[in-house]
Amino acid sequence: QVQLVESGGALVQAGGSLRLSCVASGRTFSIYAMGWFRQAPGKEREFVASINWDWNTSRTRYADAVKGRFTISRDSAKNTVYLQMNSLKPEDTANYYCAADKAITTTAPPQYWGQGTQVTVSS
């Protein structure tokens, strides 16, 4: 079992920055990837970013909507992943969810999920 706890969501102005954090605990040896998804009211949950560290490599992926603005990173010693969000836009407003699994893909949902943290970007 893996538990994920997110933090960092806030109300910010367009053009501002936020850093989200997600701390994993429990059977963390069983996960090799973590990522972020978001869901706005009335919309489906969508992929934002992921980092996979299997095979002693570190691979990152980003949704087209956030490329160049968001950066995902990992602190292995703290079992924590971060999402640095810069140049925020009102369309980034959503509940952001941390996720973890052996791998993070866009074709299958991750096994473990956090509770979500709200990001609101004002214009």
Side-chain angles (χ1 to χ4, degrees):
Q1 188 69 262
V2 175
Q3 296 80 43
L4 305 174
V5 179
E6 300 133 306
S7 62
L11 171 65
V12 298
Q13 292 183 325
S17 298
L18 281 175
R19 188 180 74 159
L20 306 183
S21 300
C22 177
V23 180
S25 61
R27 298 170 65 88
T28 57
F29 59 84
S30 67
I31 64 174
Y32 299 95
M34 295 178 68
W36 295 91
F37 293 70
R38 67 186 183 186
Q39 187 169 23
K43 295 186 177 181
E44 297 290 320
R45 189 170 298 185
E46 64 178 3
F47 169 80
V48 176
S50 65
I51 183 166
N52 293 256
W53 58 87
D54 58 325
W55 302 105
N56 292 319
T57 63
S58 183
R59 298 167 291 165
T60 58
R61 295 183 65 250
Y62 298 92
D64 288 343
V66 307
K67 284 182 178 178
R69 299 188 298 119
F70 292 9
T71 303
I72 188 168
S73 61
R74 171 178 175 253
D75 185 334
S76 60
K78 296 181 178 180
N79 291 318
T80 301
V81 294
Y82 305 93
L83 185 67
Q84 179 66 46
M85 304 185 293
N86 298 326
S87 302
L88 283 162
K89 304 174 181 179
E91 49 263 48
D92 295 319
T93 295
N95 202 355
Y96 283 71
Y97 296 88
C98 180
D101 209 334
K102 294 180 176 65
I104 300 293
T105 71
T106 58
T107 57
Q111 183 174 6
Y112 304 104
W113 293 89
Q115 81 288 348
T117 185
Q118 180 66 37
V119 173
T120 302
V121 184
S122 65
S123 60

